[in-house]
Amino acid sequence: MGRLARPPGGTDEDLLRLERALFDEFRFHAEKNGFLGDVSDMDALLAAQHYGVPTRLLDWSQDARVAAYFAAEKDWKTDGEIIGIKLIGTPSDGGTVHPFDISKEIAFFPDSNLHRAKVQKAVVTITAKPWLRLHFIEQLSLIIRSEHKCQVISGLERRGISRFSLFPDFSGLADMLCSKYTFRFPGSKAHSIAWRREPGILSADEMSAQIL
């Protein structure tokens, strides 16, 4: 997920104005069209991030399987990494504080109405300014080699962790189906194979089992 970055040649104030404009317009259109329920500004910012708007937030998962899925699902030619951390401070709920008014970094549990965050078992960190780095104590770093990513994803999907379980909406369902009927070869790009179920022709699952 994209982090908010300073515009080329811009100042810190330009970045703050950009951040505010992105958030205000997201919230206006989301509420006008009924996309957001009664959520705090902090949770509205998280909703924006989950749908692709760059923010100063970082969202983590309390479930190692979810972290493994995100570390392995993309970029089949490079290694993925799972980072386990110990936060400085104890997470709380988002409360009534506006995300752009905080004076120090905090961690919070998202509102349960944000279903994506709920199923991903998220805890979210936010810094006092968008250009600041998060302070934490790294406890664990686990590398998933590129040649093993396909097996990791396949194993997690058999255990119910998939794009659809983590993004339980139309986009997640479409991603899951595209993944299911795409055959990935370790160490190479994903290759789509058009297939029909006919006598003597393997099903997608049967062919995947032989490839993997």
Side-chain angles (χ1 to χ4, degrees), residues 76 146-156 158 186 211-212:
W76 301 92
S146 58
E147 61 269 24
H148 298 149
K149 280 186 171 182
C150 184
Q151 288 88 341
V152 169
I153 292 295
S154 296
L156 289 168
R158 287 194 296 271
I211 291 172
L212 300 177

Side-chain angles (χ1 to χ4, degrees), residues 64-159:
R65 297 170 302 172
V66 173
Y69 190 93
F70 285 126
E73 71 162 340
K74 294 181 179 178
D75 199 352
W76 301 92
K77 287 190 173 182
T78 61
D79 296 342
E81 183 179 12
I82 302 171
I83 299 175
I85 66 170
K86 180 179 180 181
L87 294 171
I88 307 299
T90 303
S92 61
D93 60 39
T96 58
V97 62
H98 194 284
F100 306 151
D101 293 337
I102 63 172
S103 58
K104 63 178 182 179
E105 64 186 42
I106 62 173
F108 66 94
F109 295 113
D111 189 285
S112 59
N113 290 326
L114 298 178
H115 197 48
R116 283 186 173 189
K118 181 180 178 180
V119 297
Q120 293 172 19
K121 296 182 174 62
V123 60
V124 184
T125 56
I126 179 171
T127 54
K129 299 296 181 184
W131 53 83
L132 297 178
R133 294 176 61 87
L134 176 70
H135 294 93
F136 60 83
I137 302 172
E138 183 173 320
Q139 302 286 94
L140 168 73
S141 176
L142 177 64
I143 302 297
I144 301 177
R145 298 299 180 193
S146 58
E147 61 269 24
H148 298 149
K149 280 186 171 182
C150 184
Q151 288 88 341
V152 169
I153 292 295
S154 296
L156 289 168
E157 287 177 344
R158 287 194 296 271
R159 290 163 176 79

Side-chain angles (χ1 to χ4, degrees), residues 38-51:
D38 183 19
V39 300
S40 67
D41 288 316
M42 198 76 79
D43 286 307
L45 187 64
L46 177 60
Q49 172 164 298
H50 266 251
Y51 285 92

Side-chain angles (χ1 to χ4, degrees), residues 24-36:
D24 287 347
E25 190 158 351
F26 173 85
R27 178 131 208 179
F28 171 77
H29 288 292
E31 290 181 342
K32 180 180 178 181
N33 290 278
F35 299 153
L36 277 178

